[in-house]
Amino acid sequence: MAPALVDYTAAEKELYEFDDLKIGVKGLVDAGVTHIPRFFIHPPECRANYSSTPQNNGADRVEIPVIDLEGFNENDDRRVKMVNAMRYACATWGFFQIVNHGVPVAVMEEMVESIRRFHEQPQEAKMEWYSRDFSRTVNYYSSGDIKGRAQPVPAEWKDTLSCRAADDQWDFDALPELCRHEMKEYMKNMIDLQEKLSELMSEALGLRKDHLSSTGYLKSIKLSGHYYPACPEPDLTLGTIKHSDPSLLTLVLQDKSNGLQVLHNDQWVDVPAVDGAFVANIGDFMQLLSNDKFMSVEHRVLATPLGRPRISAVSFFLPSAKDRTKPCGPIKELLSDSSPPIYRITSYEEFMKHYRVVGQIGGRALPHFKL
């Protein structure tokens, strides 16, 4: 029997009461729930098994682009092919896989395992980190950002460990000891990879290769370690709702589980877990800066069926702390009489204020900034 439609305004009180327990979704699973609480139930049209948007299967199956960084430092045809591949992926998909990127597989595997260790430690040990005060360096929380939204919406079936630098300076001693060493090594590699991708994206836009790095647009990194526990009723909920990212660039390290999907040409396309690869996607603010030459796209994560949990490490590349209040708009070198600005002058801080209202309920922030 299909569940009754949920009154999310009424269910929101129950969601807040659950949040106050600080046990996370994993706490529900550990308690042996066989039916998910009603505040996790999503409207039928948003679920994986019922959508006006067709799924990616059958003979017309499509695959997201793959960018091979082998020979990145060589000044030859390989570099030209990389730039062309980056331009195509960012302009037509907004999503792509990256292989031969230089990050050791051992560092990637240890990062995933450290996220698992944190979330699978005894509940009492991790409760001290549970907080929705996002001015903190470290937050452990559940079910997405449930507060400050424009309207009540269903919760997400996941727990998150979120870490950020204060003024772009990482204090690794402030991170949970269970994953401190692994996060430190991982972030060193993310900084190196960010430099490579900044160059390729700059060149793909027809700019100097140091343009994006010199502006500080991708200087800061926020890291989220998501844990999607196995769900007893995965057809009723989602791990992450349909959304676009507010960042400039997002890099996702997946474990061997599937579930990530991108909306391409009004079709949900599976993003398979590929050993040794990162998934990259363009964020909303990059679309604004590029004046729609690069496109941010909506994506989601399906709830994990019974079995092993799904784990991912997500790196959001953002403007440096000192640049978040600076007025900015479409990059002037990309504008002309035939390509006038599409978006008004704003700042990343202003953009995020609007995103927190509409983006957390599956809306798009970009239209608010169009001229």
Side-chain angles (χ1 to χ4, degrees), residues 35-101:
H35 298 287
I36 64 176
R38 65 173 180 166
F39 49 79
F40 282 107
I41 298 176
H42 288 243
E45 66 273 15
C46 297
R47 302 175 198 159
N49 63 333
Y50 179 92
S51 176
S52 58
T53 306
Q55 305 297 306
N56 173 38
N57 49 40
D60 60 346
R61 184 178 182 88
V62 293
E63 297 180 354
I64 70 169
V66 176
I67 299 179
D68 189 343
L69 299 189
E70 182 70 34
F72 174 82
N73 293 314
E74 302 299 326
N75 188 19
D76 57 18
D77 288 345
R78 285 178 294 182
R79 177 74 174 214
V80 175
K81 289 180 180 178
M82 285 179 213
V83 173
N84 289 337
M86 179 68 75
R87 183 181 301 112
Y88 169 79
C90 295
T92 62
W93 276 83
F95 246 77
F96 49 97
Q97 302 257 25
I98 305 171
V99 297
N100 295 319
H101 40 66

Side-chain angles (χ1 to χ4, degrees), residues 3 15 29 47 63 84 99 116 127 134 173 190 216 239 242 261 329 347 363 365:
L15 173 57
V29 174
R47 302 175 198 159
E63 297 180 354
N84 289 337
V99 297
R116 184 191 306 277
M127 284 180 72
F134 294 109
D173 289 338
M190 285 297 95
K242 182 181 76 170
Q261 294 184 324
S347 68

Side-chain angles (χ1 to χ4, degrees), residues 108-148:
M108 300 168 72
E109 291 176 344
E110 289 165 6
M111 181 65 196
V112 169
E113 285 308 307
S114 73
I115 295 171
R116 184 191 306 277
R117 279 199 306 274
F118 176 86
H119 287 285
E120 294 184 354
Q121 67 181 310
Q123 189 61 49
E124 310 76 47
K126 58 186 176 182
M127 284 180 72
E128 66 173 293
W129 301 99
Y130 202 100
S131 172
R132 293 190 182 275
D133 175 5
F134 294 109
S135 65
R136 293 174 45 161
T137 301
V138 179
N139 296 87
Y140 157 54
Y141 58 97
S142 177
S143 310
D145 189 356
I146 64 172
K147 298 184 178 179

Side-chain angles (χ1 to χ4, degrees), residues 138-211:
V138 179
N139 296 87
Y140 157 54
Y141 58 97
S142 177
S143 310
D145 189 356
I146 64 172
K147 298 184 178 179
R149 301 177 299 191
Q151 64 191 55
V153 294
E156 299 169 325
W157 193 262
K158 71 178 177 188
D159 296 332
T160 299
L161 173 65
S162 178
C163 307
R164 63 190 55 77
D167 296 327
D168 305 324
Q169 298 298 314
W170 281 90
D171 178 9
F172 292 108
D173 289 338
L175 303 182
E177 187 173 359
L178 269 181
C179 46
R180 184 179 302 158
H181 171 74
E182 291 80 6
M183 284 188 170
K184 182 177 181 179
E185 291 304 308
Y186 187 77
M187 290 309 300
K188 288 179 181 177
N189 282 275
M190 285 297 95
I191 292 169
D192 290 342
L193 183 54
Q194 175 264 328
E195 288 294 328
K196 293 180 180 179
L197 297 177
S198 291
E199 286 189 19
L200 291 179
M201 287 191 295
S202 294
E203 292 182 63
L205 286 169
L207 305 169
R208 298 186 329 269
K209 69 178 184 179
D210 66 343
H211 183 94

Side-chain angles (χ1 to χ4, degrees), residues 227-242:
Y227 185 95
Y228 300 86
C231 181
E233 297 178 299
D235 290 343
L236 299 182
T237 189
L238 288 169
T240 302
I241 63 169
K242 182 181 76 170

